Structure formats: C-alpha cells, structure tokens
Amino acid sequence: MVHIVGAGPGDPDLITVKGQRLLSEADVVIYAGSLVNEDILKFCKPEAEIYNSAQMMFEEILHVMALAEKAGKTTVRLHTGDPSIYGATQEQMDAMRERGIEFDVTPGVSSFLAAAAALKQEYTVPGITQTVIITRRGGRTPVPDTESLKKLAQHQTTLCIFLSVNLLDDIKRDLMSAGFKSSTPVAVVYKASWPGEEKIIKGRLDTIVQQVKEAKIDRTAMIIIGHCLSSTNRQQSKLYSPTFSHMFRQARF
Ligand code: SAH
C-alpha cells in the first residue's frame, strides 16, 4: 500500500495527526526533498528506508514503490503542503492505477494557508471579496491562455500565486495592465511556518519588486495580492451579527 501524504508547509507540527501516524509506520518513505522540511523525517521509524525524490526520475520512484509493494511493505510518498496543488501527483497516481498498486491520499496544510496564518489574514473578507484564486505565472511551465493573470485579475479577487516569486516583475506588469492600481496591497511570505526561517514582506504593487529583491527572496515564497490585505471598506461578517439568524442562533433584533 502506498500512502500519498501532505507534509504541510514546513513546520513539522503542521502535518496532520493521520499523516504523522502513517509516516511513523512506513517501511519506505520517499519525500520531495526540494521543498519538504527534512525535520519531519524525525517521525519515521529508525529502520525505514528513506529516499529523496529530488534526485530521482519518475520511473525510479515508481520502481521503489513497486519493489516495496512486492515485499509487502508500506510506503509513504511525502509531498509538501497539500499533494493536490502543484504536487505532480496526478501522473504518479495514474501510473500506480495502471500497475495495480493500491494507494490512498492524506491531505496536508497547503502553503497558501500557512501564508494566511503568518499574515494573520482572512482571504475572504466580507464586502471586499468572497473568492480566492490559486494560480501561478506562466514561465517555463505554461499556463493556459484562458487563465492568464490578466484575465484572472479582472475578477479582483484575492490572488495566491505559487511558484512565481522570480517572476514578480511580470506579475506586476500583467496586473497593472489588467487595471489593478499601483497602490494594490501585496504580501510575500517566504518559507511560511518554517521555524526560524519565515519572512514576511508587505508592500504595494509598485514597491514589492524592489522590497523582495532587497530581502533576497527568490524561491519558496507565496505571493498574495488583493484588497483583502487593506484595512479599509471591510464589513462585519454576518455570521456573528445580531441581525442575522442561522441554524444555530436566532436574530436578536
Ligand atoms: N503542494 C504545495 C505546493 C508545491 S509548489 C502546497 O500545497 O503548498 C511549490 C511552491 O509552493 C513554491 O514555489 C512556493 O510558491 C509555495 N510554497 C511551498 N512551501 C511554502 C512555504 N512554506 N511558504 C511559502 N510558499 C511556499
């Protein structure tokens, strides 16, 4: 059995209870070493075979899993954040299905959520936006035309942009040509939740490129753009409002 597990964003304590249990029981662990915080491997059994997939090709990863299956061993395939987001997990799941390898998936805390926690920020602020878009800027990996930043920006939602901090200049240009004001608030969170390594940069569309350059951030960072980050025009949520009834509470006025 192969368990695909979300390791969480960096702080080893942010793996789920179930993920930690699976990791502690695994005979074989293959972790995505380019991003997973290796401190999380402290949860593994001392005798577990541990592989870093950053140094492996697709076929090698499958080979290790298939051998473990044959030997009746349990494998954990450990991905950063949540495996469903930019995890390159679909191709692995398809290949396992094809080869008859049984697997399941345990979700994890994605880095865009750890970034909100670091910022102490809600992404869906009443009166401002009720939508979050998760995306990346097309670069070496293309993004379909229908999802260009220019098009997505027209919705003026909260944008969480992965894998793109090295393309911040292009992002700024795209968003400004889509009508975003130069004063639009932007935050960049580097290594959200990593003990002792997290950095938070807050700025505006017209200042952020310089700020991020000065902070020497060029990878492992989440870009958050949108008016949820500004403190004006917020409305109170209806959830706790005295004039709003719901299943668990009657309105008082
Ligand atoms: N599956 C992962 C994303 C993998 S893609 C998840 O759910 O988070 C890798 C990108 O995720 C990085 O380029 C960066 O944009 C973002 N990322 C991963 N860990 C991060 C962290 N701790 N802080 C900020 N961004 C992070």
Side-chain angles (χ1 to χ4, degrees), residues 10 17 19 27 30-31 58 79-80 85 90 92 105 121 124 136 144 157 166 178 189 196 226 232 234 252:
V17 174
D27 305 305
I30 310 173
Y31 71 102
F58 185 70
H79 282 275
T80 179
I85 298 176
Q90 196 60 55
Q92 294 177 57
V105 182
Q121 178 67 52
T124 54
R136 67 186 293 174
T157 67
N166 57 331
V189 184
T232 48
R234 286 183 184 158
R252 302 224 179 105

Side-chain angles (χ1 to χ4, degrees), residues 123-125 128-135 149 151-161 175 180 184-185 223-229:
Y123 289 147
T124 54
V125 179
I128 297 189
T129 181
Q130 290 294 292
T131 306
V132 184
I133 293 180
I134 291 168
T135 190
L149 264 185
K151 289 195 176 135
L152 298 181
Q154 287 166 7
H155 301 285
Q156 300 271 320
T157 67
T158 300
L159 290 167
C160 295
I161 309 180
L175 294 186
F180 263 75
T184 306
I223 306 166
I224 296 122
I225 302 174
H227 295 289
C228 70
L229 298 171

Side-chain angles (χ1 to χ4, degrees), residues 6 8-11 34-36 79-88 108-115 135-136 161-166 188-194 198-199 218-223:
D11 180 346
S34 52
L35 278 164
V36 169
H79 282 275
T80 179
D82 183 84
S84 70
I85 298 176
Y86 307 115
V109 176
S110 181
S111 55
F112 81 99
L113 301 171
T135 190
R136 67 186 293 174
I161 309 180
F162 284 68
L163 292 158
S164 309
V165 75
N166 57 331
V188 170
V189 184
Y190 169 76
K191 288 205 160 175
S193 88
W194 281 63
E198 179 182 284
K199 279 188 208 164
D218 59 2
R219 66 200 163 86
T220 329
M222 184 62 48
I223 306 166

Side-chain angles (χ1 to χ4, degrees):
M1 178 79 167
V2 174
H3 302 287
I4 297 177
V5 174
D11 180 346
D13 285 353
L14 287 177
I15 190 171
T16 61
V17 174
K18 183 171 179 181
Q20 182 181 337
R21 179 176 59 76
L22 292 171
L23 197 54
S24 68
E25 291 168 358
D27 305 305
V28 177
V29 175
I30 310 173
Y31 71 102
S34 52
L35 278 164
V36 169
N37 182 353
E38 291 186 352
D39 287 351
I40 207 164
L41 302 175
K42 70 184 178 197
F43 296 130
C44 299
K45 297 196 277 207
E47 68 273 24
E49 287 166 52
I50 298 183
Y51 298 85
N52 178 354
S53 62
Q55 293 143 6
M56 296 162 83
M57 306 284 209
F58 185 70
E59 284 303 324
E60 287 178 78
I61 297 172
L62 277 175
H63 182 65
V64 170
M65 290 172 175
L67 278 185
E69 281 310 284
K70 245 191 206 154
K73 293 178 177 169
T74 303
T75 302
V76 162
R77 176 70 175 110
L78 196 59
H79 282 275
T80 179
D82 183 84
S84 70
I85 298 176
Y86 307 115
T89 45
Q90 196 60 55
E91 63 212 60
Q92 294 177 57
M93 294 190 285
D94 291 347
M96 284 194 270
R97 263 190 211 110
E98 247 168 51
R99 289 169 205 219
I101 299 177
E102 211 189 324
F103 68 91
D104 62 13
V105 182
T106 300
V109 176
S110 181
S111 55
F112 81 99
L113 301 171
L119 293 166
K120 303 190 175 96
Q121 178 67 52
E122 180 173 352
Y123 289 147
T124 54
V125 179
I128 297 189
T129 181
Q130 290 294 292
T131 306
V132 184
I133 293 180
I134 291 168
T135 190
R136 67 186 293 174
R137 172 72 167 59
R140 276 208 305 171
T141 304
V143 169
D145 268 353
T146 48
E147 303 169 17
S148 69
L149 264 185
K150 275 186 202 169
K151 289 195 176 135
L152 298 181
Q154 287 166 7
H155 301 285
Q156 300 271 320
T157 67
T158 300
L159 290 167
C160 295
I161 309 180
F162 284 68
L163 292 158
S164 309
V165 75
N166 57 331
L167 302 170
L168 206 49
D169 221 359
D170 301 315
I171 291 173
K172 171 185 159 188
R173 209 169 339 106
D174 287 353
L175 294 186
M176 290 183 61
S177 70
F180 263 75
K181 291 201 183 102
S182 55
S183 59
T184 306
V186 182
V188 170
V189 184
Y190 169 76
K191 288 205 160 175
S193 88
W194 281 63
E197 298 200 44
E198 179 182 284
K199 279 188 208 164
I200 296 177
I201 313 281
K202 288 183 183 174
R204 309 163 19 137
L205 214 44
D206 57 355
T207 63
I208 198 77
V209 175
Q210 187 60 26
Q211 287 172 281
V212 166
K213 207 186 213 170
E214 279 164 17
K216 298 195 169 61
I217 295 172
D218 59 2
R219 66 200 163 86
T220 329
M222 184 62 48
I223 306 166
I224 296 122
I225 302 174
H227 295 289
C228 70
L229 298 171
S230 55
S231 49
T232 48
N233 304 325
R234 286 183 184 158
Q235 288 172 11
Q236 214 194 345
S237 158
K238 293 207 176 4
L239 187 58
Y240 301 108
S241 156
T243 58
F244 190 69
S245 300
H246 57 65
M247 213 168 129
F248 300 103
R249 194 193 60 219
Q250 283 302 308
R252 302 224 179 105
F253 302 103

